Coordinates of all heavy atoms in Angstrom, one line a residue:
M233 N 0.8 -1.2 0.0 CA 0.0 0.0 0.0 C 0.9 1.3 0.0 O 1.8 1.4 0.8 CB -0.9 0.0 1.3 CG -2.1 -0.8 1.1 SD -3.2 -0.5 2.5 CE -4.5 -1.6 2.1
P234 N 0.6 2.2 -0.9 CA 1.4 3.4 -0.9 C 1.1 4.3 0.3 O 0.0 4.3 0.8 CB 0.9 4.1 -2.2 CG -0.4 3.5 -2.5 CD -0.5 2.2 -1.9
N235 N 2.1 5.0 0.7 CA 1.9 5.9 1.8 C 1.3 7.2 1.3 O 1.2 7.4 0.1 CB 3.2 6.2 2.5 CG 3.8 5.0 3.2 OD1 3.0 4.0 3.5 ND2 5.1 5.0 3.5
C236 N 1.0 8.1 2.2 CA 0.6 9.5 1.8 C 1.7 10.1 1.0 O 2.8 10.2 1.4 CB 0.2 10.3 3.0 SG -0.1 12.0 2.7
K237 N 1.3 10.7 -0.2 CA 2.2 11.4 -1.0 C 2.7 12.7 -0.4 O 3.8 13.2 -0.7 CB 1.6 11.7 -2.4 CG 1.4 10.5 -3.2 CD 1.0 10.9 -4.6 CE 0.6 9.8 -5.5 NZ -0.8 9.4 -5.3
G238 N 1.9 13.2 0.5 CA 2.3 14.5 1.1 C 3.2 14.4 2.2 O 4.2 15.1 2.3
C239 N 2.9 13.5 3.2 CA 3.8 13.5 4.4 C 4.4 12.2 4.6 O 5.3 12.0 5.6 CB 2.9 13.8 5.6 SG 1.7 12.6 6.0
G240 N 4.1 11.2 3.8 CA 4.8 9.9 3.9 C 4.2 9.0 5.0 O 4.8 7.9 5.2
A241 N 3.2 9.4 5.7 CA 2.6 8.5 6.7 C 2.0 7.3 6.1 O 1.5 7.3 4.9 CB 1.5 9.3 7.4
S242 N 1.9 6.2 6.8 CA 1.2 5.0 6.4 C -0.3 5.3 6.5 O -0.7 5.7 7.5 CB 1.6 3.8 7.3 OG 3.0 3.5 7.2
V243 N -1.0 5.0 5.5 CA -2.4 5.2 5.5 C -3.1 4.0 4.9 O -2.6 3.2 4.2 CB -2.8 6.5 4.6 CG1 -2.3 7.7 5.2 CG2 -2.3 6.3 3.2
A244 N -4.4 3.9 5.3 CA -5.3 2.8 4.8 C -6.0 3.4 3.6 O -6.6 4.6 3.8 CB -6.2 2.3 5.9
W245 N -6.1 2.8 2.5 CA -6.9 3.3 1.4 C -8.2 2.6 1.4 O -8.4 1.4 1.1 CB -6.1 3.0 0.1 CG -4.9 3.8 0.0 CD1 -3.7 3.5 0.5 CD2 -4.8 5.2 -0.6 NE1 -2.8 4.6 0.2 CE2 -3.4 5.6 -0.4 CE3 -5.7 6.0 -1.2 CZ2 -3.0 6.8 -0.8 CZ3 -5.2 7.3 -1.6 CH2 -3.9 7.6 -1.4
I246 N -9.3 3.4 1.8 CA -10.6 2.8 1.9 C -11.4 3.1 0.6 O -11.5 4.2 0.2 CB -11.3 3.5 3.1 CG1 -10.5 3.3 4.4 CG2 -12.7 2.8 3.3 CD1 -10.3 1.9 4.8
K247 N -11.9 2.0 0.1 CA -12.6 2.2 -1.2 C -14.0 2.7 -0.9 O -14.7 2.2 -0.1 CB -12.7 0.8 -1.9 CG -13.2 0.9 -3.3 CD -12.5 0.0 -4.2 CE -13.0 0.3 -5.7 NZ -12.1 -0.4 -6.6
M248 N -14.3 3.8 -1.6 CA -15.6 4.4 -1.5 C -16.5 3.8 -2.5 O -16.2 3.2 -3.5 CB -15.4 5.9 -1.8 CG -14.3 6.6 -1.1 SD -14.5 6.9 0.6 CE -15.7 8.2 0.6
P249 N -17.9 4.0 -2.2 CA -18.9 3.5 -3.1 C -18.7 4.0 -4.5 O -19.1 3.4 -5.5 CB -20.2 3.9 -2.5 CG -19.9 4.1 -1.1 CD -18.5 4.6 -1.0
S250 N -18.1 5.2 -4.6 CA -17.9 5.9 -5.9 C -16.8 5.2 -6.7 O -16.6 5.4 -7.9 CB -17.5 7.3 -5.7 OG -16.3 7.4 -5.1
G251 N -16.0 4.3 -6.1 CA -15.0 3.6 -6.7 C -13.6 4.2 -6.5 O -12.6 3.6 -6.7
S252 N -13.5 5.4 -6.0 CA -12.2 6.0 -5.6 C -11.9 5.6 -4.2 O -12.7 5.1 -3.5 CB -12.3 7.5 -5.8 OG -13.3 8.0 -4.9
S253 N -10.6 5.8 -3.9 CA -10.1 5.4 -2.6 C -9.7 6.6 -1.8 O -9.1 7.5 -2.3 CB -8.9 4.4 -2.7 OG -9.3 3.2 -3.3
M254 N -10.1 6.5 -0.5 CA -9.8 7.6 0.4 C -8.7 7.3 1.4 O -8.8 6.2 2.0 CB -11.1 7.9 1.2 CG -10.9 8.7 2.5 SD -11.3 10.4 2.3 CE -13.1 10.3 2.3
P255 N -7.6 8.1 1.4 CA -6.6 7.8 2.4 C -7.1 8.1 3.8 O -7.6 9.2 4.1 CB -5.4 8.7 2.0 CG -6.1 9.8 1.3 CD -7.3 9.3 0.7
C256 N -6.9 7.1 4.7 CA -7.3 7.2 6.1 C -6.2 6.9 7.0 O -5.3 6.1 6.7 CB -8.5 6.3 6.4 SG -10.0 6.8 5.4
N257 N -6.3 7.5 8.2 CA -5.2 7.3 9.2 C -5.3 5.8 9.8 O -6.4 5.3 9.9 CB -5.4 8.3 10.4 CG -5.0 9.7 10.0 OD1 -4.3 9.9 9.0 ND2 -5.3 10.6 10.8
L258 N -4.1 5.3 10.1 CA -4.0 4.1 10.8 C -3.5 4.4 12.2 O -2.7 5.3 12.4 CB -3.0 3.2 10.1 CG -3.5 2.6 8.8 CD1 -2.4 1.9 8.1 CD2 -4.7 1.6 9.1
P259 N -3.9 3.6 13.2 CA -4.8 2.5 13.1 C -6.3 3.0 13.1 O -6.5 4.2 13.3 CB -4.6 1.8 14.5 CG -4.1 2.8 15.4 CD -3.4 3.8 14.6
P260 N -7.2 2.1 12.9 CA -8.6 2.6 12.9 C -9.0 3.1 14.3 O -8.3 2.8 15.3 CB -9.4 1.3 12.6 CG -8.4 0.3 12.1 CD -7.1 0.7 12.6
V261 N -10.0 3.9 14.3 CA -10.5 4.4 15.6 C -11.8 3.8 16.0 O -12.4 3.1 15.2 CB -10.7 6.0 15.5 CG1 -9.4 6.7 15.2 CG2 -11.7 6.4 14.5
R262 N -12.2 4.0 17.2 CA -13.5 3.6 17.7 C -14.4 4.9 17.8 O -13.9 5.9 18.3 CB -13.5 2.9 19.1 CG -12.6 1.7 19.1 CD -13.2 0.5 18.4 NE -14.2 -0.1 19.3 CZ -15.0 -1.1 18.9 NH1 -14.9 -1.6 17.7 NH2 -16.0 -1.5 19.7
Y263 N -15.6 4.8 17.4 CA -16.4 6.0 17.4 C -17.9 5.7 17.7 O -18.3 4.5 17.5 CB -16.3 6.9 16.2 CG -17.1 6.3 15.0 CD1 -18.4 6.8 14.6 CD2 -16.6 5.2 14.3 CE1 -19.1 6.3 13.6 CE2 -17.3 4.7 13.2 CZ -18.5 5.2 12.9 OH -19.2 4.7 11.8
L264 N -18.6 6.6 18.3 CA -20.0 6.5 18.6 C -20.8 7.2 17.5 O -20.7 8.4 17.3 CB -20.4 7.1 19.9 CG -19.7 6.5 21.2 CD1 -20.0 7.4 22.4 CD2 -20.3 5.1 21.4
P265 N -21.5 6.4 16.6 CA -22.2 7.0 15.5 C -23.2 8.0 16.0 O -24.0 7.7 17.0 CB -22.9 5.8 14.9 CG -22.1 4.6 15.3 CD -21.6 4.9 16.7
G266 N -23.3 9.1 15.4 CA -24.3 10.1 15.7 C -24.1 10.9 16.9 O -24.9 11.7 17.3
A267 N -23.0 10.7 17.6 CA -22.8 11.3 19.0 C -22.0 12.6 18.9 O -21.8 13.2 19.9 CB -22.2 10.3 19.9
G268 N -21.5 12.9 17.8 CA -20.6 14.1 17.7 C -20.5 14.5 16.3 O -21.2 14.1 15.4
S269 N -19.5 15.4 16.1 CA -19.3 16.0 14.7 C -18.0 15.6 14.1 O -17.6 16.2 13.2 CB -19.5 17.5 14.8 OG -18.5 18.0 15.7
D270 N -17.4 14.5 14.6 CA -16.2 14.0 13.9 C -16.6 13.3 12.6 O -17.5 12.6 12.6 CB -15.4 13.1 14.8 CG -14.9 13.7 16.1 OD1 -14.4 14.9 16.0 OD2 -14.9 13.1 17.1
R271 N -15.8 13.6 11.6 CA -16.0 12.9 10.3 C -15.3 11.6 10.3 O -14.1 11.5 10.5 CB -15.5 13.8 9.2 CG -16.3 15.0 8.9 CD -17.6 14.6 8.3 NE -18.2 15.8 7.6 CZ -19.2 15.7 6.7 NH1 -19.7 14.5 6.5 NH2 -19.7 16.8 6.2
I272 N -16.0 10.6 10.0 CA -15.5 9.2 10.1 C -15.8 8.5 8.7 O -16.8 8.8 8.1 CB -16.2 8.4 11.2 CG1 -16.2 9.1 12.5 CG2 -15.6 7.0 11.3 CD1 -14.8 9.3 13.1
V273 N -14.8 7.7 8.3 CA -15.0 6.9 7.1 C -15.2 5.5 7.6 O -14.4 5.0 8.4 CB -13.9 7.0 6.1 CG1 -14.1 6.0 4.9 CG2 -13.7 8.4 5.7
T274 N -16.3 4.8 7.3 CA -16.6 3.5 7.7 C -15.7 2.5 6.9 O -15.2 2.9 5.8 CB -18.0 3.1 7.6 OG1 -18.3 3.0 6.2 CG2 -18.9 4.1 8.2
P275 N -15.5 1.3 7.4 CA -14.7 0.3 6.6 C -15.3 0.0 5.3 O -14.6 -0.4 4.4 CB -14.8 -1.0 7.5 CG -14.9 -0.4 8.9 CD -15.8 0.8 8.8
S276 N -16.6 0.3 5.1 CA -17.2 0.1 3.8 C -17.1 1.3 2.9 O -17.7 1.3 1.8 CB -18.6 -0.4 3.9 OG -19.4 0.5 4.7
G277 N -16.5 2.4 3.4 CA -16.3 3.6 2.6 C -17.3 4.6 2.6 O -17.3 5.6 1.9
E278 N -18.3 4.5 3.5 CA -19.3 5.5 3.7 C -18.7 6.6 4.6 O -17.9 6.3 5.6 CB -20.5 5.0 4.4 CG -21.1 3.7 3.8 CD -21.9 3.9 2.5 OE1 -22.3 5.1 2.4 OE2 -22.1 3.0 1.8
V279 N -19.1 7.8 4.4 CA -18.7 8.9 5.3 C -19.8 9.1 6.4 O -21.0 9.2 6.1 CB -18.5 10.2 4.6 CG1 -18.2 11.3 5.6 CG2 -17.4 10.1 3.6
A280 N -19.4 9.0 7.7 CA -20.4 9.0 8.8 C -19.9 10.2 9.7 O -18.8 10.7 9.6 CB -20.4 7.7 9.5
T281 N -20.8 10.5 10.6 CA -20.5 11.5 11.6 C -20.6 10.8 13.0 O -21.6 10.1 13.2 CB -21.5 12.7 11.5 OG1 -21.4 13.2 10.2 CG2 -21.1 13.8 12.5
G282 N -19.7 11.1 13.9 CA -19.8 10.5 15.2 C -18.8 11.2 16.1 O -18.2 12.2 15.8
K283 N -18.6 10.5 17.2 CA -17.6 11.0 18.2 C -16.6 10.0 18.4 O -16.9 8.9 18.8 CB -18.3 11.4 19.5 CG -17.4 11.9 20.6 CD -18.2 12.4 21.8 CE -17.3 12.8 22.9 NZ -16.3 13.9 22.5
I284 N -15.3 10.3 18.1 CA -14.2 9.4 18.3 C -13.9 9.3 19.8 O -13.9 10.4 20.5 CB -13.0 9.9 17.6 CG1 -13.2 9.9 16.1 CG2 -11.7 9.0 18.0 CD1 -12.1 10.6 15.3
I285 N -13.8 8.1 20.3 CA -13.6 7.9 21.8 C -12.4 7.1 22.0 O -11.9 6.3 21.2 CB -14.9 7.3 22.5 CG1 -15.1 5.9 21.9 CG2 -16.1 8.2 22.3 CD1 -16.1 5.1 22.7
D286 N -11.9 7.2 23.3 CA -10.8 6.3 23.7 C -11.3 4.9 23.8 O -12.4 4.6 24.3 CB -10.4 6.8 25.1 CG -9.1 6.2 25.6 OD1 -9.0 4.9 25.4 OD2 -8.3 6.9 26.1
P287 N -10.6 4.0 23.2 CA -11.1 2.6 23.2 C -11.2 2.0 24.6 O -11.8 1.0 24.8 CB -10.0 1.8 22.4 CG -9.1 2.8 21.8 CD -9.4 4.2 22.4
T288 N -10.5 2.6 25.5 CA -10.6 2.1 26.9 C -11.7 2.7 27.7 O -12.0 2.4 28.9 CB -9.3 2.3 27.7 OG1 -9.1 3.8 27.8 CG2 -8.1 1.7 27.0
S289 N -12.5 3.7 27.1 CA -13.6 4.3 27.7 C -14.7 3.4 28.0 O -14.9 2.4 27.2 CB -14.0 5.5 26.8 OG -15.4 5.6 26.8
P290 N -15.5 3.6 29.0 CA -16.7 2.7 29.3 C -17.7 2.8 28.1 O -18.5 1.8 28.0 CB -17.3 3.4 30.5 CG -16.3 4.3 31.1 CD -15.3 4.6 30.0
F291 N -17.6 3.8 27.3 CA -18.6 3.9 26.2 C -18.1 3.1 25.0 O -18.8 2.9 24.0 CB -18.7 5.3 25.8 CG -19.3 6.2 26.8 CD1 -18.5 7.2 27.5 CD2 -20.6 6.1 27.3 CE1 -18.9 8.0 28.5 CE2 -21.1 6.9 28.3 CZ -20.3 7.8 28.9
A292 N -16.9 2.5 25.1 CA -16.3 1.9 23.9 C -17.1 0.7 23.5 O -17.1 0.3 22.3 CB -14.9 1.5 24.2
R293 N -17.9 0.1 24.4 CA -18.7 -1.1 24.0 C -19.7 -0.8 23.0 O -20.1 -1.6 22.2 CB -19.4 -1.7 25.2 CG -18.5 -2.7 25.9 CD -19.2 -3.2 27.2 NE -19.3 -2.1 28.1 CZ -20.1 -2.2 29.2 NH1 -20.7 -3.3 29.5 NH2 -20.2 -1.2 30.1
A294 N -20.2 0.5 23.0 CA -21.2 0.9 22.0 C -20.6 1.5 20.8 O -21.3 1.9 19.8 CB -22.1 2.0 22.7
A295 N -19.3 1.5 20.7 CA -18.6 2.2 19.6 C -18.3 1.1 18.5 O -18.4 -0.1 18.7 CB -17.3 2.8 20.1
V296 N -18.1 1.7 17.3 CA -17.8 0.8 16.2 C -16.5 1.3 15.5 O -16.1 2.4 15.8 CB -19.0 0.8 15.2 CG1 -20.3 0.3 15.8 CG2 -19.2 2.3 14.6
D297 N -16.0 0.5 14.7 CA -14.7 0.8 14.0 C -15.0 1.8 12.9 O -15.9 1.7 12.1 CB -14.1 -0.5 13.4 CG -13.5 -1.3 14.5 OD1 -13.0 -0.8 15.5 OD2 -13.5 -2.6 14.4
G298 N -14.0 2.7 12.7 CA -14.0 3.6 11.6 C -12.7 4.1 11.4 O -11.7 3.8 12.1
Y299 N -12.6 5.0 10.4 CA -11.3 5.6 10.1 C -11.4 7.1 10.0 O -12.4 7.6 9.6 CB -10.8 5.1 8.7 CG -10.4 3.6 8.7 CD1 -11.4 2.7 8.4 CD2 -9.1 3.2 8.9 CE1 -11.1 1.3 8.4 CE2 -8.8 1.8 8.9 CZ -9.8 0.9 8.6 OH -9.5 -0.4 8.6
M300 N -10.3 7.7 10.5 CA -10.3 9.2 10.4 C -9.7 9.5 9.0 O -8.6 9.0 8.7 CB -9.5 9.8 11.5 CG -9.5 11.3 11.6 SD -8.5 11.9 12.9 CE -9.4 11.4 14.3
P301 N -10.4 10.3 8.2 CA -9.8 10.7 6.9 C -8.4 11.3 7.1 O -8.2 12.2 8.0 CB -10.8 11.7 6.4 CG -12.1 11.5 7.1 CD -11.7 11.0 8.5
H302 N -7.5 10.9 6.4 CA -6.1 11.3 6.6 C -6.0 12.8 6.3 O -5.2 13.5 7.0 CB -5.1 10.6 5.7 CG -3.7 11.0 5.8 ND1 -3.0 10.9 7.0 CD2 -2.8 11.6 5.0 CE1 -1.8 11.4 6.9 NE2 -1.7 11.8 5.7
W303 N -6.8 13.4 5.4 CA -6.6 14.8 5.2 C -7.0 15.7 6.4 O -6.6 16.8 6.4 CB -7.4 15.3 3.9 CG -8.8 14.7 3.9 CD1 -9.3 13.7 3.1 CD2 -10.0 15.2 4.6 NE1 -10.6 13.5 3.3 CE2 -11.1 14.4 4.2 CE3 -10.1 16.2 5.6 CZ2 -12.3 14.6 4.8 CZ3 -11.4 16.4 6.1 CH2 -12.5 15.6 5.7
A304 N -7.7 15.1 7.3 CA -8.0 15.9 8.5 C -6.8 16.1 9.4 O -6.8 17.1 10.2 CB -9.1 15.1 9.3
T305 N -5.8 15.3 9.3 CA -4.6 15.4 10.2 C -3.3 15.6 9.4 O -2.3 15.8 10.0 CB -4.5 14.2 11.1 OG1 -4.4 13.0 10.4 CG2 -5.7 14.1 12.1
C306 N -3.4 15.4 8.1 CA -2.1 15.4 7.3 C -1.5 16.8 7.4 O -2.1 17.8 7.1 CB -2.4 15.0 5.9 SG -0.9 15.0 4.9
P307 N -0.2 16.8 7.8 CA 0.5 18.1 7.8 C 0.7 18.7 6.4 O 1.0 19.9 6.3 CB 1.9 17.8 8.5 CG 2.0 16.3 8.4 CD 0.6 15.7 8.3
A308 N 0.6 17.9 5.4 CA 0.7 18.4 4.1 C -0.6 18.5 3.4 O -0.6 18.7 2.1 CB 1.6 17.4 3.3
A309 N -1.7 18.5 4.1 CA -3.0 18.6 3.5 C -3.2 19.8 2.6 O -3.9 19.8 1.7 CB -4.1 18.5 4.6
A310 N -2.6 20.9 3.0 CA -2.7 22.1 2.3 C -2.3 22.0 0.8 O -2.9 22.6 -0.1 CB -1.9 23.3 2.9
K311 N -1.4 21.0 0.6 CA -1.0 20.8 -0.8 C -2.1 20.2 -1.6 O -2.0 20.4 -2.9 CB 0.2 19.8 -0.8 CG 1.5 20.3 -0.2 CD 2.5 19.2 -0.3 CE 3.8 19.5 0.4 NZ 4.7 18.4 0.5
F312 N -3.0 19.6 -1.0 CA -4.1 18.9 -1.7 C -5.3 19.8 -2.0 O -6.1 19.5 -2.8 CB -4.6 17.7 -1.0 CG -3.4 16.7 -0.7 CD1 -3.3 16.2 0.6 CD2 -2.5 16.3 -1.7 CE1 -2.3 15.3 0.9 CE2 -1.5 15.5 -1.4 CZ -1.4 15.0 -0.1
K313 N -5.3 20.9 -1.2 CA -6.5 21.8 -1.3 C -6.2 22.8 -2.4 O -5.2 23.5 -2.5 CB -6.7 22.5 0.0 CG -7.2 21.5 1.1 CD -7.5 22.2 2.4 CE -7.9 21.2 3.4 NZ -8.0 21.8 4.7
Q314 N -7.3 23.1 -3.2 CA -7.2 24.1 -4.2 C -7.3 25.5 -3.7 O -6.7 26.4 -4.2 CB -8.3 23.9 -5.2 CG -8.3 22.5 -5.9 CD -7.1 22.4 -6.8 OE1 -6.6 23.3 -7.4 NE2 -6.5 21.1 -6.9
K315 N -8.0 25.6 -2.6 CA -8.2 27.0 -2.1 C -7.1 27.5 -1.2 O -7.1 28.7 -1.0 CB -9.5 27.0 -1.2 CG -10.8 26.8 -2.1 CD -12.0 26.8 -1.2 CE -13.2 26.5 -2.1 NZ -14.4 26.2 -1.3
G316 N -6.2 26.7 -0.8 CA -5.1 27.2 0.0 C -5.4 27.3 1.4 O -5.4 26.3 2.2
K317 N -5.8 28.5 1.9 CA -6.0 28.7 3.3 C -7.3 28.0 3.8 O -8.2 27.8 3.0 CB -6.2 30.2 3.6 CG -4.8 30.9 3.8 CD -5.0 32.3 4.4 CE -5.3 33.3 3.3 NZ -5.4 34.7 3.8
Q318 N -7.3 27.6 5.0 CA -8.4 26.9 5.6 C -9.4 27.8 6.2 O -9.0 28.8 6.8 CB -7.9 25.9 6.6 CG -8.9 24.9 7.0 CD -8.3 23.7 7.7 OE1 -7.1 23.5 7.6 NE2 -9.1 22.9 8.3
Ligands
ZN110 ZN1 -0.2 13.0 4.7

């Protein structure tokens, strides 16, 4: 699997229903669907909203696996954006 072209981080390429692949951070995170405003990519490539939680939290039993889109944390993400400033 290729790493991020911008920062060299290891990423998971999650295939989206559209057929394109989205780079996502590793390892996967645990999140509570619908509980927050974090953007999550599900293992099946859907974009969901939820709250990322600590896997050791008591709430973790209700959490499911997902991935944080790599562009959310990539230090080189600005290179990928057409608009420049955030
Ligand atoms: Zn990156």
Side-chain angles (χ1 to χ4, degrees):
M233 277 192 183
N235 294 341
C236 173
K237 291 192 187 80
C239 70
S242 295
V243 292
W245 292 87
I246 306 298
K247 187 137 188 171
M248 312 289 284
S250 65
S252 58
S253 292
M254 163 102 74
C256 294
N257 287 347
L258 288 171
V261 297
R262 302 283 286 173
Y263 76 100
L264 294 171
S269 57
D270 293 324
R271 290 286 202 169
I272 309 292
V273 179
T274 71
S276 58
E278 311 279 343
V279 177
T281 304
K283 181 173 175 54
I284 295 170
I285 62 167
D286 189 315
T288 62
S289 139
F291 300 108
R293 271 176 297 169
V296 297
D297 286 325
Y299 293 88
M300 188 180 290
H302 180 61
W303 46 256
T305 58
C306 179
K311 289 181 189 171
F312 305 131
K313 291 183 183 169
Q314 297 296 327
K315 288 178 185 168
K317 274 192 276 185
Q318 192 161 346

